[in-house]
Amino acid sequence: MTDLAMRVAPARSEALRRAAPALLGYAAVRALGLLALALWSAARDKDAYTLLTARWDALWYARVAELGYGYEVRLPNGDVHSNLAFFPLLPWLERLVAQVSPLSYADGGFVVSVLASLAAAWGIFAVAEHVYGRRVGVCAVLLWAVLPVGIVQSMAYSESLFTALAAWSLYALLTGRWLTAGTLALLAGLTRPVGLAVVAAVWAAGIASFVRERSARQAPGADLAAHAPGATARRVLGMLLAPLGAAGYVLWVGHRTDKGPLGYLDVQAGWRNGFDGGYAFARFVGEKFTSFPSALAGVGLIVGVGLVVWLYVVCVRQRQPLPLLVYAGVVTALALCASSYFGSKPRLLLPAFALLLPLARSLAGLRTHRSALVVGAVAVASAVYGAFWLNGSGPP
């Protein structure tokens, strides 16, 4: 074993030891959610595992893993649902699991999501600990676990995988590991369209770093030898790597559909997905006020959107690092301003974990027993809501 390997192994062991409380707490919350889902599903004569692995998008991912791309469904209204809308990294991993084990593609999706959710929790802890300290890191992970739509973290969906890649890419940026950040951003771009948020964070951090270096060089008495060419080369390479995943898949879809670089937008349009600046969502909310019962839902939606915007403003006021602000801002904008299925918007916001850091700081300021009571109560509510939600008729 080399000296480098001997130094890296203890460092990783120490990092895991520091993250252990957060990971154990996360696993406990997720176990509670799965228990609630199992009990609720049994009461409704449904199979909880099927709900996690073989409904809605999970079916599309498993079909891509098994048969590849080219499958589509034509609806009576003329819409065309093509599996080209689903980015390939999760199906690739599902296929890998199925090839090296007796598990099915759906089973593979569940295994990947469970492992990725733990990696995401660790990445969130690493980011929050680096910025605010260990206690805030633990609280950030627990808050991410108890989100009302936290059950998605255990589904054969791509949210957990994407969040893991995004969190560790952001951590790499915060610690100056440009090649790692760019590579993880590339993989995030192969996971979901919102991979653009990770790319934006890498580029924003890179540009800001160049600006700082230029200012430092121009300062009186600057040490020009301190700016190593190798560091600059790694930064540039990381920035160049970052967009290759998303760009590569989008261009491939355009080539496959013979519609050029914008072919992927046509595929999304078949699902009635697009970016309209939030007009369709605002109209959807406005329609809730046409009758009294639905008006309560309209008020709830407005309060929810207001809370998200307020959290982002607090993040800015607390001067979070630029990569986190850019990443959270892009994820939030894409989620709220897309003309997609409106019931999925809470799920689309799931990767925006940086929005939870102000709440994590407040929670960390409480005494341990009080913060435990708060997290415990919210975890129970989240578990019950997740079980109710996943047993419903509409996709999450």
Side-chain angles (χ1 to χ4, degrees):
M1 182 179 291
T2 65
D3 290 341
L4 176 61
M6 292 177 67
R7 289 196 301 270
V8 169
R12 289 178 177 173
S13 177
E14 172 63 16
L16 180 58
R17 184 191 68 78
R18 293 183 62 82
L23 297 180
L24 290 173
Y26 176 80
V29 172
R30 290 273 38 87
L32 177 63
L34 293 176
L35 176 61
L37 176 65
L39 295 175
W40 193 296
S41 301
R44 294 175 58 88
D45 198 26
K46 293 184 178 181
D47 181 64
Y49 188 69
T50 299
L51 296 178
L52 293 169
T53 62
R55 294 188 74 189
W56 307 308
D57 290 4
L59 286 174
W60 288 88
Y61 282 119
R63 188 176 286 116
V64 172
E66 181 178 7
L67 303 174
Y69 286 104
Y71 177 80
E72 62 183 28
V73 174
R74 295 184 177 272
L75 304 183
N77 64 356
D79 290 344
V80 178
H81 288 183
S82 168
N83 65 359
L84 290 170
F86 296 89
F87 277 51
L89 185 56
L90 177 58
W92 287 346
L93 294 176
E94 290 179 342
R95 182 180 301 173
L96 177 63
V97 172
Q99 288 177 344
V100 301
S101 73
L103 300 177
S104 68
Y105 296 104
D107 295 334
F110 180 72
V111 170
V112 170
S113 291
V114 169
L115 295 178
S117 69
L118 290 170
W122 193 356
I124 292 170
F125 171 82
V127 169
E129 182 196 33
H130 180 79
V131 179
Y132 295 118
R134 187 184 186 190
R135 188 175 177 88
V136 175
V138 173
C139 291
V141 170
L142 294 177
L143 287 176
W144 191 66
V146 302
L147 288 173
V149 293
I151 190 65
V152 174
Q153 298 162 14
S154 301
M155 295 179 67
Y157 272 39
S158 60
E159 273 75 11
S160 290
L161 178 60
F162 174 79
T163 305
L165 294 169
W168 283 109
S169 179
L170 291 170
Y171 178 73
L173 284 177
L174 296 175
T175 54
R177 297 175 173 89
W178 292 97
L179 290 179
T180 301
T183 302
L184 292 173
L186 184 157
L187 294 173
L190 287 171
T191 307
R192 296 185 61 80
V194 76
L196 294 174
V198 190
V199 176
V202 172
W203 274 74
I207 293 172
S209 183
F210 281 121
V211 171
R212 286 194 301 269
E213 283 191 1
R214 182 177 180 182
S215 299
R217 289 193 188 100
Q218 294 175 347
D223 182 7
L224 298 181
H227 305 285
T232 300
R234 288 191 295 273
R235 186 186 312 135
V236 171
L237 184 55
M239 294 174 67
L240 293 176
L241 283 172
L244 294 184
Y249 181 69
V250 168
L251 291 175
W252 178 80
V253 170
H255 174 73
R256 184 181 176 96
T257 58
D258 293 323
K259 293 184 179 180
L262 301 181
Y264 183 76
L265 298 181
D266 290 337
V267 171
Q268 286 285 11
W271 287 81
R272 295 188 176 253
N273 290 336
F275 189 86
D276 62 1
Y279 172 76
F281 185 42
R283 186 175 61 183
F284 171 78
V285 174
E287 291 173 352
K288 295 295 182 181
F289 291 92
T290 57
S291 62
F292 174 71
S294 64
L296 297 177
V299 172
L301 288 171
I302 292 175
V303 171
V305 171
L307 176 61
V308 170
V309 174
W310 175 75
L311 284 174
Y312 187 75
V313 171
V314 174
C315 291
V316 174
R317 289 179 175 175
Q318 292 182 351
R319 298 181 180 276
Q320 281 188 13
L322 179 64
L324 298 186
L325 293 176
V326 171
Y327 169 75
V330 175
V331 172
T332 302
L334 291 177
L336 296 182
C337 298
S339 57
S340 56
Y341 174 69
F342 303 113
S344 295
K345 290 194 179 293
R347 171 174 65 86
L348 299 180
L349 285 167
L350 192 63
F353 63 88
L355 296 178
L356 298 174
L357 295 184
L359 299 178
R361 294 183 69 183
S362 298
L363 185 63
L366 300 177
R367 293 182 180 273
T368 301
H369 71 278
R370 291 184 178 179
S371 59
L373 287 175
V374 171
V375 171
V378 178
V380 171
S382 174
V384 172
Y385 178 76
F388 164 77
W389 185 49
L390 199 53
N391 274 274
S393 58

